[in-house]
Amino acid sequence: MTVPTVDTDPGHAFSRYLKCLADADESAAVATARGLLEAGVPAERVLLELVAPAQAEVGERWARNEWSVAEEHAATHISERVVAAVAAYADPRPTRGRIVMACMDGEWHALPARLVAEVLRLRGWQVVFLGASVPAAHLVSYLHRYDAEAVALACALPMRLPHAHRMVEACRRSDVPVLVGGRGFGDDGRWARVLGVPWAPDAPAAADLVADERALRETPPARLDHLADDEYVSLVKRRGELIDSALADLRERVPSTANYTAAQLDSTISDLGYIVDFLAAALYVDDATLFTGFVEWLVEILVSRGVPAGAIGSTLEHYGQQLRDFPRAAAFLDRGRALVGGLSAAGR
């Protein structure tokens, strides 16, 4: 077991805490956080300056193929336990109204949202954290049973933006103001603005926003006139067909796929589906950078796992041929292919 030492700066404790996560040493991780608290560091700083950046590094190590999924899950579980320990130590008493916090349907990365929930509790709010992947109908049913000052929705993946918009509108029909957060809305909240919903870049900003009811309710309308071309709806309807055709094309181009294990085949099908889903989300908000940003990320992930960037470019070309009657989708796919070509030329 790693023996923790006391420090009053969460930044100084970062490397030690990260080693606890790498060693799967839960007790030492909890002790590191508790040592900061006992030294007088506010609980909010421990959450935002120790746990949050460490979790971001965990994700980066998985992306670089330095950590396995199992190691990432173990580290995340330990950080969840640390958050619980920090919350128990602080033990705030609610002095303000109820906030309901939830992750979008299909979103399983709940720790960032949990950190926001705990910061809101520390600021005096009574927070009900519904956790990961909450179906819209269940969330609305909950709101009908329990009064809430606001709903805070978290989205980590931009491909969930169409679901996010539906959840936002469902909450508003229940006359509950909504705010959103998470990288799924863009680093600067650009896609939240397209959807016409208030966005907070971090936990302190979320706390300030929920305290301002006027800002929550006075939001500009969604800018979604482009959906009149029906490209998004038509693409979603063809999702299964597109994935099947892309898989058949891949098997024809790369005969070795016939020897894939079941796990490799599942992973390949998932990646083909993600391409369609991110393309659909880009169509929904009419922003090619949503799709090209995903393509760049996918190239980095797959190249780190031995898959050449050119393989992704070929799949994008196939989808482009299948969607040649979809002007916006075809243009987005062309931009994705150009990006892959540039990354390949750069040796990535």
Side-chain angles (χ1 to χ4, degrees), residues 70-100:
E71 289 172 307
E72 183 267 330
H73 284 187
T76 300
H77 171 73
I78 290 172
S79 282
E80 288 172 344
R81 298 281 290 172
V82 169
V83 171
V86 171
Y89 184 93
D91 194 23
R93 292 292 182 265
T95 57
R96 308 167 95 168
R98 180 186 288 117
I99 305 295
V100 175

Coordinates of all heavy atoms in Angstrom, one line a residue, residues 70-100:
A70 N -10.1 -2.3 -18.3 CA -10.2 -2.8 -16.9 C -9.5 -1.8 -16.0 O -10.0 -1.5 -14.9 CB -9.6 -4.2 -16.8
E71 N -8.3 -1.4 -16.4 CA -7.6 -0.4 -15.5 C -8.3 0.9 -15.4 O -8.4 1.5 -14.4 CB -6.2 -0.2 -16.1 CG -5.3 -1.4 -15.9 CD -4.0 -1.2 -16.7 OE1 -4.0 -0.9 -17.9 OE2 -2.9 -1.4 -16.1
E72 N -8.9 1.4 -16.6 CA -9.7 2.6 -16.5 C -10.9 2.5 -15.6 O -11.2 3.4 -14.9 CB -10.1 3.0 -18.0 CG -10.8 4.3 -18.1 CD -12.3 4.1 -18.0 OE1 -12.8 3.0 -18.4 OE2 -13.0 5.0 -17.6
H73 N -11.6 1.3 -15.7 CA -12.8 1.1 -14.9 C -12.4 1.1 -13.4 O -13.1 1.6 -12.5 CB -13.5 -0.2 -15.3 CG -14.3 0.0 -16.5 ND1 -15.1 -1.0 -17.0 CD2 -14.4 1.0 -17.4 CE1 -15.7 -0.6 -18.1 NE2 -15.2 0.6 -18.4
A74 N -11.3 0.4 -13.1 CA -10.8 0.3 -11.7 C -10.5 1.7 -11.1 O -10.9 2.0 -10.0 CB -9.6 -0.6 -11.6
A75 N -9.8 2.5 -11.9 CA -9.4 3.9 -11.5 C -10.7 4.7 -11.3 O -10.8 5.5 -10.3 CB -8.5 4.5 -12.5
T76 N -11.6 4.6 -12.2 CA -12.9 5.4 -12.1 C -13.6 5.0 -10.8 O -14.2 5.8 -10.1 CB -13.7 5.1 -13.3 OG1 -13.0 5.6 -14.5 CG2 -15.1 5.9 -13.2
H77 N -13.7 3.7 -10.6 CA -14.4 3.2 -9.3 C -13.7 3.8 -8.1 O -14.4 4.2 -7.2 CB -14.4 1.7 -9.3 CG -14.8 1.2 -8.0 ND1 -16.2 1.2 -7.6 CD2 -14.2 0.6 -6.9 CE1 -16.3 0.6 -6.4 NE2 -15.1 0.3 -6.0
I78 N -12.4 3.8 -8.1 CA -11.7 4.4 -6.9 C -12.0 5.8 -6.8 O -12.3 6.3 -5.6 CB -10.2 4.1 -7.0 CG1 -9.9 2.6 -6.9 CG2 -9.4 4.9 -6.0 CD1 -8.4 2.3 -7.2
S79 N -12.0 6.6 -7.9 CA -12.3 8.0 -7.8 C -13.8 8.2 -7.3 O -14.1 9.2 -6.6 CB -12.1 8.7 -9.1 OG -10.7 8.9 -9.3
E80 N -14.7 7.3 -7.7 CA -16.1 7.5 -7.2 C -16.1 7.3 -5.7 O -16.8 8.0 -5.0 CB -16.9 6.4 -7.9 CG -17.2 6.8 -9.4 CD -17.9 5.6 -10.1 OE1 -17.9 4.5 -9.6 OE2 -18.5 5.9 -11.2
R81 N -15.3 6.3 -5.2 CA -15.2 6.1 -3.8 C -14.6 7.3 -3.1 O -15.0 7.7 -2.0 CB -14.4 4.9 -3.5 CG -15.0 3.6 -4.1 CD -16.1 3.1 -3.2 NE -15.6 2.5 -1.9 CZ -16.4 2.1 -0.9 NH1 -17.7 2.3 -1.0 NH2 -15.9 1.7 0.2
V82 N -13.6 7.9 -3.7 CA -13.0 9.1 -3.1 C -14.0 10.3 -3.1 O -14.1 11.0 -2.1 CB -11.8 9.5 -3.9 CG1 -11.3 10.9 -3.5 CG2 -10.7 8.5 -3.8
V83 N -14.8 10.4 -4.1 CA -15.8 11.5 -4.1 C -16.8 11.3 -3.0 O -17.2 12.2 -2.3 CB -16.6 11.5 -5.5 CG1 -17.8 12.5 -5.4 CG2 -15.6 12.0 -6.6
A84 N -17.2 10.0 -2.8 CA -18.1 9.7 -1.7 C -17.5 10.0 -0.4 O -18.2 10.5 0.6 CB -18.5 8.2 -1.8
A85 N -16.2 9.7 -0.2 CA -15.5 10.0 1.1 C -15.4 11.5 1.3 O -15.6 12.0 2.5 CB -14.1 9.4 1.0
V86 N -15.1 12.3 0.3 CA -15.1 13.7 0.4 C -16.4 14.3 0.8 O -16.6 15.1 1.7 CB -14.6 14.4 -0.9 CG1 -14.7 15.9 -0.8 CG2 -13.1 14.0 -1.2
A87 N -17.5 13.8 0.1 CA -18.8 14.2 0.4 C -19.2 13.9 1.9 O -19.8 14.7 2.6 CB -19.8 13.6 -0.5
A88 N -18.8 12.7 2.3 CA -19.2 12.3 3.7 C -18.4 13.2 4.7 O -18.9 13.6 5.8 CB -18.9 10.9 3.9
Y89 N -17.2 13.5 4.4 CA -16.4 14.4 5.3 C -17.0 15.7 5.4 O -17.1 16.3 6.5 CB -14.9 14.4 4.8 CG -14.0 15.2 5.7 CD1 -13.2 14.5 6.7 CD2 -13.9 16.6 5.6 CE1 -12.4 15.2 7.5 CE2 -13.0 17.3 6.4 CZ -12.3 16.6 7.4 OH -11.4 17.3 8.2
A90 N -17.3 16.3 4.2 CA -17.9 17.7 4.2 C -19.2 17.7 4.9 O -19.6 18.7 5.6 CB -17.9 18.2 2.8
D91 N -20.1 16.7 4.5 CA -21.4 16.6 5.1 C -22.2 17.9 5.1 O -22.7 18.3 6.1 CB -21.3 16.0 6.5 CG -22.7 15.5 7.0 OD1 -23.5 15.2 6.2 OD2 -22.9 15.5 8.3
P92 N -22.4 18.5 3.9 CA -23.1 19.8 3.8 C -24.6 19.6 4.1 O -25.2 18.5 3.8 CB -22.9 20.2 2.4 CG -22.7 18.9 1.6 CD -22.0 18.0 2.6
R93 N -25.2 20.6 4.7 CA -26.6 20.6 4.9 C -27.3 21.5 3.9 O -26.9 22.6 3.7 CB -26.9 21.0 6.4 CG -26.5 20.1 7.4 CD -27.3 18.8 7.4 NE -26.9 17.8 8.4 CZ -26.0 16.8 8.3 NH1 -25.4 16.7 7.1 NH2 -25.7 16.0 9.3
P94 N -28.4 21.0 3.3 CA -29.1 21.8 2.2 C -29.8 23.0 2.8 O -30.4 22.9 3.8 CB -30.1 20.8 1.6 CG -30.3 19.8 2.6 CD -29.0 19.7 3.4
T95 N -29.5 24.1 2.2 CA -30.2 25.4 2.6 C -31.0 26.0 1.4 O -31.6 27.0 1.5 CB -29.1 26.4 3.0 OG1 -28.2 26.6 2.0 CG2 -28.4 25.9 4.3
R96 N -30.9 25.3 0.2 CA -31.6 25.8 -1.0 C -32.5 24.7 -1.6 O -32.6 23.6 -1.0 CB -30.6 26.3 -2.0 CG -29.6 27.3 -1.4 CD -28.4 27.5 -2.2 NE -28.5 28.7 -3.0 CZ -27.6 29.3 -3.7 NH1 -26.3 28.8 -3.7 NH2 -27.8 30.4 -4.4
G97 N -33.1 25.0 -2.7 CA -34.0 24.1 -3.3 C -33.4 22.8 -3.9 O -32.2 22.6 -3.9
R98 N -34.3 22.0 -4.5 CA -33.9 20.7 -5.1 C -33.4 20.9 -6.6 O -34.1 21.5 -7.4 CB -35.0 19.7 -5.1 CG -34.6 18.4 -5.7 CD -35.8 17.4 -5.7 NE -36.2 16.9 -4.4 CZ -37.3 17.2 -3.8 NH1 -38.2 17.9 -4.5 NH2 -37.6 16.7 -2.6
I99 N -32.2 20.3 -6.9 CA -31.7 20.2 -8.2 C -31.7 18.8 -8.6 O -31.1 17.9 -7.9 CB -30.3 20.9 -8.4 CG1 -30.3 22.3 -7.9 CG2 -29.8 20.8 -9.8 CD1 -31.1 23.3 -8.7
V100 N -32.2 18.4 -9.8 CA -32.1 17.1 -10.3 C -31.0 17.0 -11.3 O -31.0 17.8 -12.3 CB -33.4 16.6 -10.9 CG1 -33.3 15.2 -11.5 CG2 -34.5 16.6 -9.8

